[in-house]
Amino acid sequence: MSEYDSLHRQCRTLESLFDTKLTSYARLASTITRSQEDLEAGGSAERWKDLETEVDELLQKLGELNDQLDSLSNDPDSPPSQSMLRAIQRHREVYQDYSKEFRRTKTNVQHALDQANLLSGVRNDIDAYKSSAADSLLAERDHITSSHRMTDDMLAQAYETRADFGRQRTTLSGIQTRMTGVINTIPGINNLLSMIKTRRRRDAIIIGCIIGLCIILLLTYMF
């Protein structure tokens, strides 16, 4: 097999492989834009870098093969035929088209990645805001619950104080009733004491009179 045939076959193989990889690389942009996933979490950034490196290496190899074909076409010792020149020219055109397509696709992929990163950042900011708002609501709810609990405790203390006042009022009312009864009973006791004193005074007078009479009779009897 001649050198031209070998280079020609290698170019055809690399062109086919490059076209497949470039198509996969182009699909990555639409996948990233459509899914709007977190690039780091989903692994899109890593897949993009690996695929881009692979496509870039294929393009470099294809360029090297085209350079070898160009050198072969300019060999004065073994000038190529017209069909070979047309094939070499065709490989060069395909290589140039692939280079342009790769640069364009690379720009589109980078734009898609930038947009996905921006959307991911915005989504993270929104999630952070939601989390902060949720924390604020939870804190506010805890504060309200604490206020309700404090209010319930104050009401319970107020009810207990009112009950104590009620019991004290009942006790004082009973004491007042007993004192009123005692006070109402005192005039009768005073009357009783007065009657006792009057009777004792009368008894003393009677006894005095009897004693005096007895003394008089005794003196009369003696003299």
Side-chain angles (χ1 to χ4, degrees):
M1 180 182 296
S2 65
E3 183 179 2
Y4 166 78
D5 291 334
S6 176
L7 293 174
H8 177 65
R9 288 179 179 274
Q10 292 181 45
C11 280
R12 294 286 300 274
T13 301
L14 282 179
E15 287 171 356
S16 177
L17 182 59
F18 182 86
D19 184 70
T20 301
K21 294 295 182 180
L22 185 61
T23 301
S24 300
Y25 183 71
R27 288 176 180 172
L28 180 61
S30 60
T31 301
I32 294 173
T33 304
R34 185 170 55 254
S35 62
Q36 296 182 356
E37 62 180 359
D38 189 333
L39 298 180
E40 296 298 332
S44 296
E46 184 177 354
R47 293 198 306 272
W48 159 64
K49 292 177 182 178
D50 292 341
L51 189 56
E52 183 180 89
T53 300
E54 188 175 356
V55 173
D56 190 41
E57 290 177 352
L58 288 175
L59 186 62
Q60 290 180 7
K61 291 179 180 179
L62 189 59
E64 292 174 358
L65 289 176
N66 275 270
D67 291 339
Q68 293 179 27
L69 286 173
D70 288 340
S71 298
L72 187 63
S73 66
N74 295 324
D75 187 3
D77 296 333
S78 179
S81 63
Q82 291 297 321
S83 61
M84 293 172 60
L85 289 175
R86 285 194 297 270
I88 292 173
Q89 180 63 29
R90 177 57 184 166
H91 286 309
R92 173 61 62 181
E93 292 175 354
V94 170
Y95 169 74
Q96 292 175 350
D97 290 340
Y98 279 162
S99 297
K100 294 178 182 179
E101 183 66 20
F102 176 61
R103 287 194 298 269
R104 185 183 65 82
T105 305
K106 185 177 180 179
T107 301
N108 292 337
V109 171
Q110 185 62 52
H111 177 72
L113 288 171
D114 292 341
Q115 184 179 11
N117 284 325
L118 178 61
L119 292 175
S120 178
V122 172
R123 185 165 56 251
N124 291 335
D125 291 341
I126 293 175
D127 292 340
Y129 173 77
K130 289 181 179 179
S131 178
S132 177
D135 292 340
S136 299
L137 290 176
L138 289 175
E140 184 66 21
R141 187 182 66 178
D142 292 340
H143 178 70
I144 293 174
T145 301
S146 178
S147 299
H148 288 171
R149 188 180 300 109
M150 185 180 298
T151 302
D152 292 339
D153 293 341
M154 293 177 64
L155 289 175
Q157 292 178 1
Y159 289 144
E160 183 64 24
T161 302
R162 188 180 68 175
D164 290 339
F165 285 158
R167 288 191 293 269
Q168 292 177 8
R169 184 171 60 252
T170 301
T171 302
L172 292 175
S173 178
I175 293 173
Q176 183 178 6
T177 301
R178 288 195 297 271
M179 290 180 64
T180 302
V182 171
I183 293 173
N184 292 332
T185 305
I186 288 176
I189 294 175
N190 291 333
N191 293 333
L192 179 60
L193 292 176
S194 298
M195 292 174 63
I196 292 173
K197 289 180 180 180
T198 302
R199 187 171 182 178
R200 288 180 65 183
R201 189 180 301 112
R202 186 187 62 186
D203 291 342
I205 293 172
I206 293 173
I207 292 173
C209 292
I210 292 173
I211 292 173
L213 181 60
C214 289
I215 292 173
I216 293 172
L217 291 176
L218 180 60
L219 290 175
T220 302
Y221 177 75
M222 290 178 63
F223 296 103

